[in-house]
């Protein structure tokens, strides 16, 4: 149960980071357009880089979560030990 909670907490934090990166990618062109000295093409290019990084990190977070959940399952030996502890 503890390992599942840790996996859920990790994916929550990674999801927040992913959303923050997507937010930056979304807001960057508008922020760069507000400054006349900043080239608009550079703002869109930076937004594209942030979007790609956010998508990659989101995929990493999802795959890591699936692996963590799979590893959180108890092995037969761990189940036996847990069952013996509960009987006592």
């Amino acid at each position: 149960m503890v390992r599942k909670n840790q996996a859920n907490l990790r994916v929550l934090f990674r999801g927040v980071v992913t959303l923050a990166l997507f937010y930056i990618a979304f807001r960057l062109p508008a922020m760069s357009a507000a400054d006349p000295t900043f080239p608009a093409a550079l703002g869109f290019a930076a937004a594209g880089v942030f979007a790609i990084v956010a998508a990659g990190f989101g995929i990493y977070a999802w795959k890591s979560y699936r692996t963590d959940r799979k590893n959180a399952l108890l092995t037969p030996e761990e189940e036996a030990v847990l069952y013996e502890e509960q009987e006592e």
Side-chain angles (χ1 to χ4, degrees), residues 11-29 31 46-47 49-58 61:
V11 79
L12 175 69
F13 288 142
R14 289 175 180 154
V16 168
V17 169
T18 301
L19 290 177
L21 289 171
F22 272 123
Y23 177 76
I24 291 171
F26 175 73
R27 293 291 301 154
L28 201 55
M31 290 187 300
V49 168
F50 269 95
I52 290 170
V53 168
F57 189 74

